[in-house]
């Protein structure tokens, strides 16, 4: 069974990480793995239609390859966070190499005058050293599973819409792999949040 909502005990065990935010009406949509031509454009157009702000956790190499698209994210008033240079897996590499990959992404951001709002580890995979040493690590409370080909868009929406509450940090992906689901679920999620009088905010 796919787990859409982080079990409540996990943030309690790892309180240094950000899982959700205290909010009256705000909800926080986030998009990982971009920027990706056409797909990130689609996301930006959808967000603009609802006057929504969001957060993009960008891969450094994709920022390098798509500077104009990255600039479009910034110009539209969305926030950007570090997602490593190469979508690195913390469980499969030495910590020092992982930090180096994180820093390479930071260097790309600095060169392009991007102010990072924080770090989201790819796959949500964390280590003890990361927990103890890295600052401003942002995870999530709701995972849409848009990248999961074994799910249907209908199942995702049925499972996720009831979880869209004030303070939730919601993960989607502006990636080729996720796009078949994303193009279906994102407009519905935006419409639902608007109908629920939620404010779609950047982190």
């Amino acid at each position: 069974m796919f787990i859409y909502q982080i079990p409540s005990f996990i943030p309690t065990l790892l309180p240094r990480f950000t899982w959700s935010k205290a909010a009256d009406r705000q909800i926080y949509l986030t998009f990982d793995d971009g920027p990706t031509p056409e797909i990130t454009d689609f996301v930006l157009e959808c967000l603009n239609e609802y006057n929504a702000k969001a957060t993009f956790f960008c891969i450094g190499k994709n920022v390098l390859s798509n500077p104009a698209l990255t600039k479009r994210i910034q110009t539209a008033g969305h926030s950007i966070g570090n997602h490593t240079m190469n979508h690195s897996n913390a469980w499969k590499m030495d910590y020092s190499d992982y930090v180096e990959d994180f820093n390479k992404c930071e260097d790309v951001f600095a060169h392009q005058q991007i102010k990072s709002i924080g770090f989201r580890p790819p796959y949500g995979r964390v280590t003890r050293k990361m927990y103890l040493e890295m600052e401003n690590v942002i995870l999530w409370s709701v995972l849409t599973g848009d990248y999961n080909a074994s799910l249907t868009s209908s199942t995702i929406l049925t499972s996720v819409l009831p979880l869209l509450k004030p303070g939730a940090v919601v993960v989607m992906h502006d990636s080729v792999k996720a796009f078949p689901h994303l193009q279906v679920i994102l407009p519905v999620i935006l419409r639902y949040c608007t109908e629920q009088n939620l404010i779609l905010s950047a982190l």
Side-chain angles (χ1 to χ4, degrees), residues 77-191:
H78 306 294
S79 57
I80 294 177
N82 185 323
H83 202 47
T84 73
M85 189 67 184
N86 296 289
H87 203 261
S88 296
N89 186 336
W91 294 357
K92 293 185 176 181
M93 59 196 300
D94 183 81
Y95 181 68
S96 62
D97 293 333
Y98 188 81
V99 171
E100 182 180 354
D101 203 62
F102 164 87
N103 286 332
K104 285 180 179 178
C105 186
E106 289 289 291
D107 290 343
V108 169
F109 283 12
H111 187 261
Q112 296 199 21
Q113 298 182 318
I114 299 168
K115 180 174 174 55
S116 175
I117 56 89
F119 173 58
R120 174 169 287 161
Y123 313 101
R125 291 181 178 172
V126 298
T127 64
R128 177 174 171 78
K129 289 200 73 172
M130 186 190 302
Y131 182 74
L132 294 174
E133 298 183 15
M134 297 188 79
E135 299 296 327
N136 205 14
V137 176
I138 301 168
L139 292 165
W140 59 79
S141 55
V142 178
L143 182 63
T144 63
D146 54 356
Y147 57 85
N148 191 330
S150 69
L151 301 174
T152 67
S153 297
S154 176
T155 298
I156 290 172
L157 288 168
T158 300
S159 301
V160 167
L161 292 182
L163 304 177
L164 301 180
K165 305 292 185 183
V169 176
V170 184
V171 180
M172 288 174 275
H173 297 78
D174 50 335
S175 66
V176 172
K177 184 177 182 180
F179 192 57
H181 286 322
L182 182 68
Q183 64 184 327
V184 176
I185 70 171
L186 178 57
V188 177
I189 286 172
L190 288 167
R191 183 169 64 250

Side-chain angles (χ1 to χ4, degrees), residues 46-58:
C46 289
L47 294 172
N48 182 63
E49 181 179 348
Y50 285 87
N51 195 29
K53 301 304 178 189
T55 302
F56 292 78
F57 287 95
C58 295

Side-chain angles (χ1 to χ4, degrees), residues 63-79:
V63 171
L64 272 181
S65 300
N66 302 284
L69 185 51
T70 306
K71 190 68 176 177
R72 186 182 173 197
I73 295 171
Q74 293 178 283
T75 302
H78 306 294
S79 57

